[in-house]
Amino acid sequence: SIKPTIVLGHPLEGLKTGCAGLDSYFASGLAMHHLMKHGHRRIGLLVSEPHTRGIRERVRGVHGFAKLLGMQVDVIDCCVVSGEVAMTKTYKRFLDVLQEGFRFTALLGVSGESIQGAVNACHNYKLRIPEDLSLIGCGSLEVGQLMTPELTTIPSEPEESARLAAHKLNCQLAGGGYE
């Protein structure tokens, strides 16, 4: 018999089970819509984490919503691989972007945690946030609140995901589906 199973985070490819977690594609859409509402039409997309399924979905979401909303995206891939310090690579890569010159008015980070490297590069380059460059991240609301200025964040809400996972698992155990 099939054991009741719920994946917390992102669905696993090839595994037919329920999942509870952030919809990365939709989260990217929320971030893009927020930036568009604030007048941004050209966005820098900071890929500052290893290319996991969730990160790939966020990148795909940014491109999908950019096309839908008539926005342009400049991808800044920091080439972070698992085991590396993402913030350090992000700082170095974004400092290079600043020195080369850029045309986007806002930066969307696929991770609220590693975007701090870009924030540090902006501070050291004397670029003012948000006056010279707006920032938004996907991920940890708590980390964004620790930054100066505070980072606008599309939160992942892990506690809510855990509650949803428990609910779905209880439904399976009771003999029902996922709802």
Side-chain angles (χ1 to χ4, degrees), residues 25 29 32-33 36 60-73:
Y25 188 93
M32 292 295 283
H33 184 260
M36 186 196 69
R60 193 173 73 81
V62 167
H63 287 292
F65 280 90
K67 184 175 181 180
L68 181 69
L69 299 170
M71 300 167 75
Q72 291 182 286
V73 177

Side-chain angles (χ1 to χ4, degrees), residues 11 17 45 65 79 82 85 93 99 103 107 112 118 123-124 127-128 138 154 158 165 176:
T17 185
L45 173 60
F65 280 90
C79 301
S82 185
V85 179
R93 177 67 182 105
Q99 291 168 344
R103 297 185 4 204
L107 184 67
H123 287 315
N124 290 341
L127 199 64
R128 299 168 304 152
C138 293
I154 304 300

Side-chain angles (χ1 to χ4, degrees), residues 39-134:
H40 300 285
R41 296 297 177 264
R42 188 168 191 151
I43 309 303
L45 173 60
L46 186 66
V47 184
S48 55
E49 293 288 335
H51 295 198
T52 61
R53 181 178 178 164
I55 297 300
R56 289 191 314 268
E57 277 299 295
R58 289 179 192 177
V59 170
R60 193 173 73 81
V62 167
H63 287 292
F65 280 90
K67 184 175 181 180
L68 181 69
L69 299 170
M71 300 167 75
Q72 291 182 286
V73 177
D74 298 335
V75 177
I76 304 156
D77 193 342
C78 299
C79 301
V80 176
V81 296
S82 185
E84 292 183 315
V85 179
M87 191 183 309
T88 302
K89 283 194 86 169
T90 302
Y91 172 82
K92 291 176 181 176
R93 177 67 182 105
F94 199 66
L95 194 57
D96 287 343
V97 168
L98 295 176
Q99 291 168 344
E100 293 165 5
F102 62 95
R103 297 185 4 204
F104 47 86
T105 60
L107 184 67
L108 192 164
V110 296
S111 167
E113 290 82 3
S114 57
I115 200 170
Q116 182 64 52
V119 170
N120 292 347
C122 288
H123 287 315
N124 290 341
Y125 199 73
K126 308 293 187 234
L127 199 64
R128 299 168 304 152
I129 302 168
E131 295 85 0
D132 299 325
L133 182 66
S134 294

Side-chain angles (χ1 to χ4, degrees), residues 134-161:
S134 294
L135 271 72
I136 189 168
C138 293
S140 174
L141 186 61
E142 293 81 13
V143 171
Q145 291 171 337
L146 294 174
M147 294 183 190
T148 303
E150 187 175 311
L151 178 67
T152 300
T153 306
I154 304 300
S156 57
E157 301 182 8
E159 294 85 5
E160 182 59 29
S161 296

